[in-house]
Amino acid sequence: MSDSIRAICMPKWGLSMKEGTVAGWLMDEGDEISSGDEVMDVDTEKISSAVEVSESGILRRQIASEGDTLSVGDLLGVLADEATPDADIDAFVTEFQANYVPPADDEEDGGAATETVDVDGRSIRYLLRGEGGVPIILVHGFGGDLNNWLFNHEALAATRAVYALDLPGHGASSKDVGEGGVAALAAVVSGFMAALGIDKAHLVGHSLGGAIALSVALDNADKVASLTLIGSAGLGADIDGDYLQGFIAAERRKDLKPHVEKLFSDPALVTRQLINDLLAFKRIDGVQAALETIMAAFAPGGSQALVLRDRIGDVAGPVLAIWGSGDRIVPASHAEGLPGNVRVEVMAGQGHMVQMEAASEVNRLIDELIG
Amino acid sequence: MARNISYQQAIGEALAQEMERDETVILMGEDVAGGAGSPGEDDAWGGVLGVTKGLYGKFGDRVMDTPITESAFIGAAVGAATSGLRPVAELMFIDFMGVCFDQMFNQAAKFRYMFGGNAETPVVIRTMYGAGFRAAAQHSQCLYPVFTHIPGLKVVTPSTPYDAKGLLIQSIRDNDPVIFCEHKALYTLEGDVPEEAYAIPFGEANVTREGDDVTIVTLGRMLHVAHEAADALAKEKISCEVVDLRTTSPMDTDTIIESVENTGRLVVLDESHPRCSIATDVSAIVAQEAFGALKAPIRMVTAPHVPVPFAENLEDLYIPDAGQVQQAVRTVMGKD
């Protein structure tokens, strides 16, 4: 059988994904596919996105059809070169399907279960994927958690270790946020690196996480290999204070949904499950106080307290700033006029969650920066 | 961080965390400390189903075994609530509420009203309900409609371990009397539950499955029957939306109406009897508030108007099942 045959499988987006429903193919049989191309739209109970392939070849077979619900890892389609005979592809499909075992309900994420580490008395949850190289650390924004990177984490981990952490007050980390501002949270990220023995890392930060990553890079020049800032705070005073306040105040689905919709360019991505997950987070004891403390220190009165724009030129390594042109939380105008050491990419029509909505492009830019 | 635990463990954890957080929270009931004549031993049973196991060892005499005198200890819990404690009383079977009606209906439910808003009664009655346990007519009823009828009581019917923990914590923190109804058949059900304490607000229904053709409103154990039916109906290309009420008083009528306005069809699934039940209540609300949205008459799936039978074959027939729900859905779809 030709070794050019490659399976396209149902991806696993986030720890809890068990299955996905095919919303439609984006490529036809016979199309030439390059690594990084999006081939299919898939809906899950939490989110919808495109399946990106990491191989190249011709799409020889569409196995899954629109409306099919398939378990993680099941066969969606087959890539192969032109020369591969149809009979070989048939044999490959038969063999794959005969051997495929859907993941058990209680199975953890292929060994990639979250772990916790003590950082100066706080328990910090993180998820590590991949191994080797200078690692990447992914730092989410206000109200987020490590799942904000579900479309980036695995792709970036193909060639190196990638850590995604939950900031204090978020996800499953301790709810004690200390003073709560960018500096306090940056100290936790530095402490996280020290606790795990990470001497040097590429930092990728989104929103508040961008300001935190920038702050770490400025204070620890020798520990940060590169810096990627996505829809980042810390580069100007403007921020949508109504969003922050509304996210904190909302106690029920109807109140929260309009605020969360502001994050995305496509509001249809804000599923009921996404809102339910956010409410479940907000309802945990201590979260409300943590978010209020962070807001009071980070954006008192709806305006960012710490602007590091003048110092971004001092960052030692390469810096990439990615923005959605339609970002309604932190305006894309903050990407203008940055010094020459910062590569700026503004994506037309994208919103604040650009790393989720334009994941393959964001992943490509980060890979390019890191090399 | 969330991990997989049972409904029973989720309830025990909610009690332990609230007792840890607030020293005015106390437990009382039959066998809640020890049981089997051995009160206080760490390895004692902890209530008939072991929900309170281990709490006596941690909290000592804040966990009180009572005599088999429901009217007395429910009354004592109500009294303790009016004088500064937050008692959680375990009434073994909801059926035993018969002898506690005065304490609940005339006293606990009325204090806030009759004292001009100056009295609060933060008492929780945890109690086991429902058929399917071979426990016969006096230990198997679904009496939550009776309490839902009484202004001044709040009524909670969790269907999952996650909801059981969050709703019980809310019940304990709430300043009004709460009847917390636990279905016997759900104690071993497992699900993801955060380790941390969290409270789910009352009066917020949970849309557990989104669909376009029919709304199934349900609660408690019947949620799982509704999902079984919805899975089967999906194969017939009928798309069901499932609404879990979570609390029957207060009731989230907005979510029910919003869903029926989208689907145009309603089936209400309720394990209680067909008259003056949650099924009739929801049906009446929709008929009054959203009649114009309905494309077909409402169907109710309930137990029959008879006591719960002791004969196993009859008890099995008594409990509403997925087949009946599917049939009701086909009827409102005009496909029967």
Side-chain angles (χ1 to χ4, degrees):
Chain A
M1 194 183 293
S2 165
D3 57 8
S4 83
I5 300 179
R6 300 277 185 270
I8 306 172
C9 298
M10 181 62 76
K12 184 170 175 70
W13 294 323
L15 290 174
S16 63
M17 178 171 167
K18 301 271 190 272
E19 59 183 28
T21 301
V22 178
W25 280 93
L26 302 171
M27 297 282 187
D28 293 321
E29 283 185 2
D31 283 356
E32 182 90 36
I33 312 273
S34 311
S35 172
D37 281 352
E38 296 178 343
V39 295
M40 172 190 277
D41 280 329
V42 165
D43 296 333
T44 75
E45 61 174 8
K46 285 193 198 297
I47 196 131
S48 305
S49 187
V51 176
E52 191 184 312
V53 292
S54 55
E55 314 269 356
S56 299
I58 290 166
L59 180 60
R60 295 289 298 270
R61 274 288 195 294
Q62 297 179 343
I63 305 293
S65 319
E66 192 175 323
D68 287 356
T69 298
L70 298 169
S71 295
V72 167
D74 205 347
L75 192 61
L76 301 174
V78 180
L79 290 181
D81 61 21
E82 215 163 346
T84 307
D86 278 337
D88 285 7
I89 290 173
D90 291 338
F92 175 86
V93 171
T94 309
E95 193 188 329
F96 185 102
Q97 291 180 332
N99 295 322
Y100 172 70
V101 183
D105 266 0
D106 55 353
E107 191 172 310
E108 281 295 348
D109 186 27
T114 57
E115 297 171 73
T116 56
V117 60
D118 183 272
V119 177
D120 303 325
R122 292 188 184 91
S123 164
I124 298 295
R125 180 178 76 153
Y126 66 97
L127 177 63
L128 167 64
R129 288 174 189 265
E131 55 187 354
V134 174
I136 297 177
I137 299 175
L138 305 170
V139 187
H140 66 79
F142 179 84
D145 66 19
L146 56 82
N147 285 311
N148 289 167
W149 306 104
L150 80 173
F151 302 127
N152 317 98
H153 200 159
E154 197 166 355
L156 294 171
T159 53
R160 61 176 67 76
V162 181
Y163 297 85
L165 58 81
D166 286 339
L167 289 169
H170 292 79
S173 289
S174 293
K175 301 301 175 275
D176 163 26
V177 297
E179 175 267 338
V182 169
L185 297 171
V188 174
V189 173
S190 300
F192 174 80
M193 292 176 68
L196 291 176
I198 301 168
D199 298 329
K200 196 165 200 170
H202 301 280
L203 297 186
V204 178
H206 174 241
S207 198
L208 168 64
I212 293 167
L214 174 55
S215 181
V216 173
L218 288 169
D219 294 343
N220 306 273
D222 54 328
K223 290 184 179 162
V224 177
S226 78
L227 182 63
T228 301
L229 306 174
I230 303 171
S232 184
L235 300 177
D238 304 330
I239 190 162
D240 184 347
D242 290 345
Y243 165 77
L244 298 173
Q245 202 53 60
F247 183 90
I248 293 172
E251 290 179 355
R252 290 170 189 253
R253 198 176 67 82
K254 281 196 192 81
D255 305 324
L256 184 58
K257 193 163 184 248
H259 296 293
V260 178
E261 282 177 347
K262 279 187 180 175
L263 295 169
F264 293 86
S265 67
D266 177 5
L269 292 174
V270 181
T271 60
R272 190 178 289 274
Q273 188 64 43
L274 180 67
I275 298 293
N276 284 351
D277 288 351
L278 284 170
L279 283 174
F281 157 65
K282 278 167 55 63
R283 286 172 181 167
I284 289 175
D285 278 6
V287 167
Q288 208 62 21
L291 294 177
E292 282 167 11
T293 304
I294 291 175
M295 165 113 191
F298 159 61
S303 180
Q304 294 186 52
L306 182 67
V307 178
L308 299 165
R309 167 173 284 266
D310 294 346
R311 296 181 58 199
I312 195 169
D314 300 340
V315 174
V319 184
L320 168 66
I322 300 173
W323 236 287
S325 67
D327 192 323
R328 285 182 274 177
I329 309 299
V330 184
S333 59
H334 288 192
E336 292 164 14
L338 292 170
N341 67 325
V342 184
R343 177 178 168 188
V344 176
E345 295 283 345
V346 178
M347 297 192 191
Q350 289 294 333
H352 191 58
M353 301 304 283
V354 60
Q355 84 278 24
M356 292 178 93
E357 291 192 82
S360 52
E361 184 61 9
V362 168
N363 296 342
R364 191 184 63 73
L365 290 168
I366 295 172
D367 269 333
E368 235 174 64
L369 179 82
I370 291 173
Chain B
M1 195 186 315
R3 69 278 187 254
N4 206 49
I5 62 172
S6 70
Y7 187 87
Q8 175 200 44
Q9 289 169 314
I11 292 167
E13 188 169 278
L15 292 171
Q17 287 179 339
E18 287 305 282
M19 291 183 80
E20 195 73 54
R21 188 186 65 82
D22 179 352
E23 62 177 19
T24 67
V25 177
I26 60 160
L27 303 190
M28 52 203 298
E30 292 156 8
D31 298 344
V32 293
S38 57
E41 291 178 19
D42 286 346
D43 61 348
W45 196 239
V48 276
L49 287 152
V51 172
T52 53
K53 193 178 181 65
L55 294 180
Y56 181 86
K58 259 189 211 156
F59 300 104
D61 56 11
R62 287 167 63 196
V63 181
M64 278 173 283
D65 270 348
T66 64
I68 306 178
T69 53
E70 288 83 5
S71 51
F73 78 77
I74 293 296
V78 169
T82 60
S83 46
L85 294 178
R86 289 188 178 268
V88 180
E90 181 177 301
L91 183 71
M92 198 179 289
F93 292 94
I94 200 169
D95 315 70
F96 302 167
M97 194 62 95
V99 294
C100 312
F101 272 16
D102 185 63
Q103 288 84 335
M104 292 314 300
F105 291 178
N106 286 328
Q107 310 305 328
K110 303 295 191 283
F111 286 153
R112 180 186 287 281
Y113 180 73
M114 293 182 69
F115 289 96
N118 295 315
E120 288 181 334
T121 314
V123 65
V124 181
I125 314 294
R126 285 183 44 241
T127 183
M128 193 165 39
Y129 76 97
F133 221 54
R134 312 303 186 218
Q138 298 159 319
H139 304 77
S140 302
Q141 299 173 80
C142 282
L143 294 178
Y144 43 72
V146 178
F147 305 102
T148 305
H149 183 72
I150 306 294
L153 299 181
K154 293 177 177 171
V155 185
V156 181
T157 56
S159 57
T160 64
Y162 176 82
D163 284 0
K165 179 172 172 182
L167 289 170
L168 182 52
I169 288 175
Q170 177 61 39
S171 301
I172 294 169
R173 296 179 187 179
D174 200 278
N175 288 330
D176 286 311
V178 176
I179 313 291
F180 190 87
C181 306
E182 304 167 8
H183 198 294
K184 303 173 184 74
L186 293 176
Y187 283 116
T188 55
L189 177 74
E190 295 190 342
D192 280 350
V193 177
E195 283 171 32
E196 304 97 327
Y198 57 93
I200 299 172
F202 290 162
E204 184 187 83
N206 190 14
V207 177
T208 55
R209 179 186 180 113
E210 291 184 299
D212 304 320
D213 298 326
V214 182
T215 298
I216 304 175
V217 173
T218 188
L219 72 166
R221 179 196 185 181
M222 287 295 119
L223 173 73
H224 307 283
V225 174
H227 279 197
E228 190 187 336
D231 285 344
L233 289 159
K235 298 192 177 93
E236 299 171 28
K237 304 285 176 210
I238 299 175
S239 159
C240 299
E241 180 145 301
V242 178
V243 178
D244 178 6
L245 292 173
R246 277 180 171 163
T247 61
T248 62
S249 185
M251 188 188 284
D252 181 2
T253 52
D254 288 355
T255 295
I256 299 169
I257 290 166
E258 186 188 327
S259 177
V260 172
E261 282 174 347
N262 287 333
T263 62
R265 298 178 186 89
L266 174 65
V267 169
V268 195
L269 168 60
D270 178 3
E271 193 189 317
S272 57
H273 302 298
R275 303 287 317 285
C276 298
S277 62
I278 302 306
T280 55
D281 193 28
V282 169
S283 299
I285 289 165
V286 169
Q288 182 160 296
E289 306 296 334
F291 188 77
L294 289 171
K295 298 172 187 163
I298 297 164
R299 298 295 302 179
M300 296 188 286
V301 179
T302 67
H305 194 66
V306 297
V308 181
F310 186 47
E312 296 187 4
N313 53 349
L314 294 179
E315 186 178 19
D316 291 343
L317 272 177
Y318 170 95
I319 302 167
D321 65 20
Q324 288 167 269
V325 179
Q326 289 167 55
Q327 193 48 50
V329 168
R330 286 188 205 106
T331 302
V332 300
M333 291 296 292
K335 289 184 176 175
D336 56 346

